[in-house]
Amino acid sequence: MYGLFYLSQGDSMYLEKLKKDGDFLTLTRENEWHLEPCAFSLDNGTQVNVLDTGVIEFIPKKPGNKDIVLSSGVHGNETAPIEICAELISNLILEKIEASHRVLFIFGNPASMNIAKRFVEENMNRLFSGSHSKGEGLINKERVHAKKLESYIRDFFTRVEAGRYRCHYDLHTAIRGSKNEKFAVYPFLHGKPWKKDQLQFLLACGVNTVLMMQSSATTFSYFSSNEFGADAFTIELGQVKPFGQNDMSRFAEVKETLNALVIQNELRYKEFNASDYEVFNVHRTINRTHEEFSLGFADDVVNFTPFKQGELLAKDGEEAIVAEVNGEAIIFPNANVAIGQRAILTVLPMAIDERFV
Ligand SMILES: [Zn+2]
């Protein structure tokens, strides 16, 4: 039997069920913004701490050297990574697998999962690094929740001895199709070198395309990278599909690699070869500055499509915005953003050189 460390009367119903079926995702979706914390331990000695809705930690009796954060569902309709993490959690609770390292799982926005939307009131992936409390402050539930998620990560990374290895993979699926279906965003490192072994990890996940950001951001991955020195990425794993409609065979590599990350002491990668990767640098941001704003290309033009110098990217009021150089490629285009916000990000291919270690 499990040894219970903490259990109040009200929790016992969900706790007994969770221990039996391992279904933390359903429990999370039934409790959109809050779940009473509780803890229990598994027969293998792993301590399981439910900290809130969607937030669960696994602390092995003798943890390895890694502190791993796996988040999904920061956008509620991006279901494939949520399903992958739900299965990992269930396998850990049911002791089909055993964690070798400390692992924190986060389902970011359960309420938006239940309405099959990216968010309820506000895009959570713009609310980190304190952004939740800026401007009008904690005016909606997503802002309040983003602040709590920050505190769970802070506590997870800092309540153990310093100097341990930290990583945070924030898993998404893109709205728009992509020429490079799966890709990752490497947050701005303020001049620190990029890591080849992280590219190798991504490649093992089936992700060979990486976008290097050149400025700080209010994303979840930038938060963990910047404040805790974690190897952190936003990982886009393909296109948005409703729950249960994902072709999980397309996610086999990422499933296998995340599983290995959690259960193995060390990951072994294929030898590093720069030609395996497509790496891009941000070239510029195109903001919408007029009411009249349209994209210069069709809705089905996919992310990373390159343009020739002079080709139309957007019309902003009277101004035609054209590609400045050959190969300028577009990502995340959205003509419907508020005036003053980013409508297109453009990127250029870059070499893997001495800036990588
Ligand atoms: Zn997303």
Side-chain angles (χ1 to χ4, degrees):
M1 268 313 288
Y2 303 101
L4 300 183
F5 284 78
Y6 163 93
L7 176 60
S8 76
Q9 208 53 25
D11 298 327
S12 60
M13 292 266 287
Y14 95 64
L15 193 54
E16 288 311 315
K17 187 171 178 300
L18 179 63
K19 287 192 299 188
K20 218 172 276 164
D21 65 12
D23 189 355
F24 188 59
L25 177 57
T26 298
L27 179 64
T28 290
R29 295 182 64 182
E30 287 168 355
N31 295 273
E32 293 187 336
W33 297 106
H34 178 71
L35 184 64
E36 282 304 313
C38 74
F40 56 99
S41 65
L42 303 176
D43 284 346
N44 61 27
T46 300
Q47 170 78 15
V48 184
N49 301 319
V50 174
L51 302 174
D52 199 338
T53 187
V55 185
I56 189 168
E57 286 178 346
F58 294 86
I59 313 293
K61 209 168 182 181
K62 290 197 181 117
N65 64 335
K66 294 179 188 169
D67 295 336
I68 301 166
V69 179
L70 296 176
S71 57
S72 61
V74 166
H75 295 138
N77 60 346
E78 298 177 2
T79 55
I82 299 170
E83 289 173 340
I84 290 169
C85 289
E87 193 181 330
L88 265 174
I89 292 168
S90 152
N91 287 343
L92 287 165
I93 293 177
L94 301 178
E95 296 189 62
K96 291 179 185 169
I97 57 172
E98 184 175 344
S100 286
H101 305 281
R102 299 174 74 244
V103 189
L104 170 66
F105 289 92
I106 296 176
F107 296 127
N109 194 338
S112 71
M113 291 179 203
N114 288 343
I115 55 170
K117 292 266 167 60
R118 199 169 155 76
F119 52 82
V120 179
E121 288 185 71
E122 192 169 1
N123 180 358
M124 270 184 90
N125 212 19
R126 299 284 178 275
L127 292 178
F128 294 99
S129 298
S131 177
H132 46 71
S133 298
K134 300 216 172 98
E136 298 160 289
L138 297 166
I139 49 166
N140 59 45
K141 286 181 172 166
E142 271 136 341
R143 287 186 170 222
V144 173
H145 202 59
K147 186 177 178 184
K148 285 188 201 165
L149 296 185
E150 284 187 353
S151 72
Y152 298 132
I153 288 191
R154 184 175 294 113
D155 180 60
F156 177 73
F157 281 143
T158 59
R159 76 167 185 268
V160 283
E161 73 274 17
R164 293 171 52 80
Y165 174 80
R166 296 167 176 170
C167 62
H168 176 184
Y169 301 112
D170 184 35
L171 309 168
H172 291 249
T173 55
I175 306 173
R176 179 174 285 257
S178 177
K179 190 169 86 55
N180 306 54
E181 188 198 47
K182 300 182 172 79
F183 65 96
V185 178
Y186 210 143
F188 182 47
L189 298 182
H190 298 265
K192 281 182 281 177
W194 297 300
K195 292 187 185 170
K196 285 179 184 167
D197 72 348
Q198 289 301 301
L199 300 191
Q200 288 171 291
F201 169 81
L202 293 169
L203 191 67
C205 291
V207 179
N208 80 331
T209 303
V210 187
L211 169 62
M212 308 308 196
M213 299 308 282
Q214 304 299 330
S215 56
S216 50
T218 50
T219 59
F220 211 8
S221 62
Y222 177 81
F223 168 71
S224 291
S225 169
N226 183 53
E227 299 203 15
F228 306 105
D231 285 331
F233 291 85
T234 308
I235 305 180
E236 304 278 355
L237 292 169
Q239 249 189 303
V240 167
K241 294 268 164 57
F243 276 115
Q245 292 182 29
N246 292 296
D247 172 2
M248 293 313 275
S249 68
R250 296 169 75 173
F251 302 96
E253 288 168 298
V254 64
K255 251 174 95 163
E256 198 181 308
T257 304
L258 293 178
N259 192 66
L261 176 72
V262 168
I263 70 173
Q264 290 179 10
N265 258 327
E266 281 305 323
L267 287 181
R268 281 177 191 279
Y269 305 117
K270 174 176 174 286
E271 203 182 327
F272 185 82
N273 185 346
S275 65
D276 287 335
Y277 304 92
E278 286 194 65
V279 179
F280 294 87
N281 234 330
V282 172
H283 179 62
R284 64 174 161 154
T285 300
I286 297 171
N287 290 330
R288 174 184 187 179
T289 66
H290 290 82
E291 189 55 45
E292 289 270 292
F293 184 93
S294 59
L295 299 176
F297 43 86
D299 269 348
D300 58 357
V301 168
V302 296
N303 280 324
F304 294 102
T305 298
F307 286 77
K308 290 200 189 83
Q309 188 176 23
E311 280 187 314
L312 185 68
L313 298 179
K315 275 204 84 174
D316 186 25
E318 292 297 298
E319 189 196 357
I321 300 169
V322 300
E324 292 174 336
V325 283
N326 277 330
E328 186 171 358
I330 53 107
I331 356 185
F332 309 128
N334 184 352
N336 298 318
V337 294
I339 290 177
Q341 301 256 298
R342 180 183 84 196
I344 311 178
L345 190 65
T346 78
V347 299
L348 288 173
M350 66 176 278
I352 298 177
D353 55 18
E354 68 285 349
R355 293 171 290 176
F356 292 75
V357 293

